[in-house]
Amino acid sequence: GAGVSQSPRYKVAKRGQDVALRCDPISGHVSLFWYQQALGQGPEFLTYFQNEAQLDKSGLPSDRFFAERPEGSVSTLKIQRTQQEDSAVYLCASSLETVLSGNTIYFGEGSWLTVV
Amino acid sequence: AQRVTQPEKLLSVFKGAPVELKCNYSYSGSPELFWYVQYSRQRLQLLLRHISRESIKGFTADLNKGETSFHLKKPFAQEEDSAMYYCALNTNAGKSTFGDGTTLTVKP
């Protein structure tokens, strides 16, 4: 595909359940970002990968959140023991080069997570 | 710590009227500022960045370091400009801090 692809688009999880959200960045893109967007708010940074290296995970809200990008392409955001406050849209974004290049970041459509 | 404030949640103007979406930021370093737009049922996309000093779809934004502002302006709004607009600040570390967005409605 031509853009950043995320799956599932919609997920309803029971409180305490583990979830995994997948991101397929644009082919060849070096940088990959995850953001969390709560209702009525702007996206908030979670974590950043440069190829397979997770260079910044300062935005992950708790140790229940874990992200990986083992081969430098597809990334998975895992949330363990989900809580209601985890309900949000999770956005993935990628860019061609490293963040220091200042190049354009492309966003996926997001994964809408609702914890009940 | 960096912060981006968009004081208006909602903004409504008539077609052909000028529009200004406000953005203020706080950051101790040299800021790199962006405007993103999200049209209905579409993904978030870059509209413009201050470094490029470009005009996209008739929109411009000027960085005012004295007032720490990066307001988005368009002299004549069109109905297709109706969307959610986010102002964002990049640090050297690459992560973006977003404002909470302004929903612009352009009425016919």
Side-chain angles (χ1 to χ4, degrees), chain B residues 83-96:
Chain B
M84 174 73 88
Y85 291 81
Y86 292 96
C87 182
L89 168 69
N90 266 23
T91 67
N92 289 335
K95 60 180 144 183
S96 293

Side-chain angles (χ1 to χ4, degrees), chain B residues 34-96:
Chain B
F34 301 78
W35 276 99
Y36 286 85
V37 61
Q38 187 167 25
Y39 300 103
S40 179
R41 297 188 182 86
Q42 295 187 27
R43 62 189 70 196
L44 196 60
Q45 58 185 284
L46 178 68
L47 180 62
L48 55 80
R49 67 185 80 196
H50 90 271
I51 287 178
S52 303
R53 299 188 65 82
E54 59 202 340
S55 173
I56 303 292
K57 300 183 179 183
F59 284 98
T60 59
D62 289 319
L63 176 61
N64 186 324
K65 291 187 178 181
E67 296 184 356
T68 60
S69 68
F70 188 56
H71 303 327
L72 183 68
K73 301 177 185 179
K74 185 169 182 176
F76 307 104
Q78 303 299 313
E79 289 182 69
E80 55 265 31
D81 296 329
S82 296
M84 174 73 88
Y85 291 81
Y86 292 96
C87 182
L89 168 69
N90 266 23
T91 67
N92 289 335
K95 60 180 144 183
S96 293

Side-chain angles (χ1 to χ4, degrees), chain A residues 83-106:
Chain A
Q83 304 295 315
Q84 282 192 315
E85 60 263 29
D86 299 335
S87 296
V89 178
Y90 290 86
L91 296 171
C92 178
S94 70
S95 65
L96 182 59
E97 297 175 9
T98 66
V99 292
L100 295 178
S101 303
N103 50 294
T104 300
I105 295 174
Y106 297 89

Side-chain angles (χ1 to χ4, degrees), chain A residues 3-6 22-27 29-36 43-51 69 72-75 77 89-97 99 103-111, chain B residues 36 43-46 90 94-96 98:
Chain A
V4 177
S5 178
Q6 293 188 244
R22 177 187 168 104
C23 173
D24 280 272
I26 295 172
S27 179
H29 276 200
V30 167
S31 296
L32 185 144
F33 307 82
W34 282 99
Y35 285 84
Q36 179 190 58
E44 291 197 7
F45 172 83
L46 293 178
T47 187
Y48 160 63
F49 290 86
Q50 182 177 312
N51 295 309
R69 193 186 185 197
S73 57
V74 171
S75 177
L77 176 67
V89 178
Y90 290 86
L91 296 171
C92 178
S94 70
S95 65
L96 182 59
E97 297 175 9
V99 292
N103 50 294
T104 300
I105 295 174
Y106 297 89
F107 281 85
E109 292 180 294
S111 289
Chain B
Y36 286 85
R43 62 189 70 196
L44 196 60
Q45 58 185 284
L46 178 68
N90 266 23
K95 60 180 144 183
S96 293
F98 285 80

